[in-house]
Amino acid sequence: MQKISLINNHFVDSQKDVWVLRNITPLEFKKVGDLKGKTLFVTGASRGIGLAIALRAARDGANIAIAAKTVTPNPKLEGTIYTAAEEIKKAGGQCLPISCDIRDEKSVKDAIEQTVKHFGGLDILVNNASAIYLTRVEETDMKKYDLSMSVNARGTFLASKYAIPHLKKSKNPHILTISPPLPEINNKINWFSVTGTGYTLSKFSMSLITHGLSGELKDDGIACNTLWPRTTIATAVVQNLLGGDDAVTKSRSVESMADAAHVILTSCSKSTTDNSYIDDEVISSVHGPDMSKYKVNTKINEIDLMPDFFV
């Protein structure tokens, strides 16, 4: 609770300018079609934001590989790779559920090869899998530190490494990483002290890897971008770790991230790369500034929503 109090104290000071989207220069996206027939490999997509991105792609008729660890129901966390697969099929897509440990090299390599063999190729990698904890360095169990670095940083590096050879064969390839905007490292707010040095390091590592890839893969035409929410998103993480029902009520739905991801992934990969995107900036640039439909509680004012970390 002390950590949440500290974060909320920062939010009180910063909220005034958060959602004045009319002052943001619209982003430009060169749309190249929808995701029908495209193949996505989405890590950690048995629930939450990853599943929402997969479902939005499924509505276009995409092929989706769900790569996650959850194969049996958990009373504290809804969803498995198999329940996610059923939802994706009902939404109009094809799905391959794969039990995959993002920390294990062979598991990741085999999962991507299985995806390519099953669907005939790979067009999009979504690095979504993530582990969170919010403790100061002296209070951090090294197992938690190692877990977050293995899932967040190493997992992003690993999935990207084995996806790249296949993405090079795609006509409009994308790597999209769900991680914070790199410019926030230089924010006057020391996010490392607010959200914990270890966790923050692991999340910005995901962004740094994606930034590096954008340079390495520029000549290959592979778009490498990050996407992060302006507000907290109504997920199990927010429910269980960041304030329960009250935090969920002050959040946006997962669809805000899914719709923003869809805009990015349907844009020209050669002209849309090395960007740190925020969900509402992407959506407002294409569909207008009204974000009210994404509020979990429509009676709450935009200004009273809970900003997420790193923005």
Side-chain angles (χ1 to χ4, degrees):
M1 293 304 295
Q2 183 179 3
K3 177 65 67 176
I4 297 302
S5 176
L6 176 60
I7 294 169
N8 284 340
N9 285 339
H10 152 61
F11 288 159
V12 169
D13 294 333
S14 68
Q15 276 183 332
K16 294 180 181 178
D17 300 320
V18 168
W19 290 286
V20 189
L21 292 177
R22 63 180 179 275
N23 291 337
I24 295 175
T25 302
L27 303 170
E28 294 186 7
F29 295 96
K30 183 180 179 181
K31 189 175 177 63
V32 294
D34 59 24
L35 298 178
K36 184 177 182 179
K38 299 291 185 179
T39 298
L40 291 75
F41 186 92
V42 188
T43 66
S46 54
R47 63 182 67 87
I49 291 171
L51 176 56
I53 291 173
L55 288 171
R56 180 62 187 87
R59 285 163 49 192
D60 283 358
N63 306 316
I64 299 144
I66 294 293
K69 286 184 65 179
T70 308
V71 296
T72 56
N74 184 325
K76 294 184 179 180
L77 295 171
E78 293 184 4
T80 68
I81 60 173
Y82 304 114
T83 59
E86 287 303 314
E87 290 187 57
I88 287 167
K89 291 174 183 177
K90 289 179 181 178
Q94 298 297 316
C95 187
L96 177 66
I98 305 174
S99 175
C100 176
D101 184 348
I102 196 69
R103 301 169 296 177
D104 181 79
E105 182 176 5
K106 185 178 186 304
S107 181
V108 173
K109 182 174 183 292
D110 289 348
I112 289 178
E113 289 180 352
Q114 187 178 346
T115 300
V116 173
K117 182 178 180 180
H118 186 82
F119 291 120
L122 182 63
D123 302 287
I124 294 165
L125 167 66
V126 179
N127 289 310
N128 169 73
S130 189
I132 182 174
Y133 68 95
L134 302 173
T135 55
R136 298 162 64 90
V137 170
E138 62 183 323
E139 301 163 352
T140 299
D141 184 311
M142 288 309 296
K143 289 183 178 180
K144 288 185 177 180
Y145 176 85
D146 291 340
L147 175 64
S148 70
M149 292 301 292
S150 295
V151 173
N152 302 354
R154 190 174 187 274
T156 296
F157 189 99
L158 194 54
S160 300
K161 169 182 169 63
Y162 285 108
I164 287 169
H166 305 289
L167 292 173
K168 286 181 177 180
K169 301 174 185 178
S170 172
K171 293 183 179 179
N172 193 50
H174 285 262
I175 294 176
L176 181 63
T177 305
I178 309 305
S179 60
L182 271 182
E184 288 299 312
I185 287 181
N186 296 318
N187 196 308
K188 63 180 180 180
I189 300 151
N190 185 345
W191 282 110
F192 289 83
S193 67
V194 174
T195 56
T197 297
Y199 169 66
T200 305
L201 176 63
S202 72
K203 291 303 295 185
F204 275 114
S205 292
M206 296 172 71
S207 301
L208 285 166
I209 290 167
T210 308
H211 171 58
L213 288 172
S214 71
E216 289 187 14
L217 303 175
K218 183 177 181 180
D219 291 342
D220 297 298
I222 301 176
C224 302
N225 299 286
T226 64
L227 176 64
W228 196 247
R230 177 83 62 187
T231 72
T232 51
I233 300 296
T235 62
V237 169
V238 171
Q239 175 74 46
N240 297 334
L241 297 180
L242 301 182
D245 292 340
D246 183 59
V248 169
T249 299
K250 295 179 180 178
S251 300
R252 283 176 177 157
S253 67
V254 290
E255 281 72 30
S256 69
M257 287 291 283
D259 287 351
H262 187 266
V263 170
I264 298 166
L265 298 176
T266 55
S267 298
C268 177
S269 62
K270 293 182 179 180
S271 60
T272 307
T273 191
D274 199 19
N275 297 290
S276 297
Y277 289 119
I278 302 294
D279 60 345
D280 55 13
E281 292 181 11
V282 173
I283 293 171
S284 65
S285 295
V286 176
H287 302 297
D290 185 2
M291 295 286 293
S292 59
K293 73 175 184 178
Y294 299 108
K295 290 188 292 186
V296 171
N297 185 341
T298 57
K299 296 181 180 180
I300 289 182
N301 295 324
E302 291 282 337
I303 203 66
D304 294 321
L305 294 176
M306 183 182 291
D308 206 330
F309 307 141
F310 314 125
V311 290

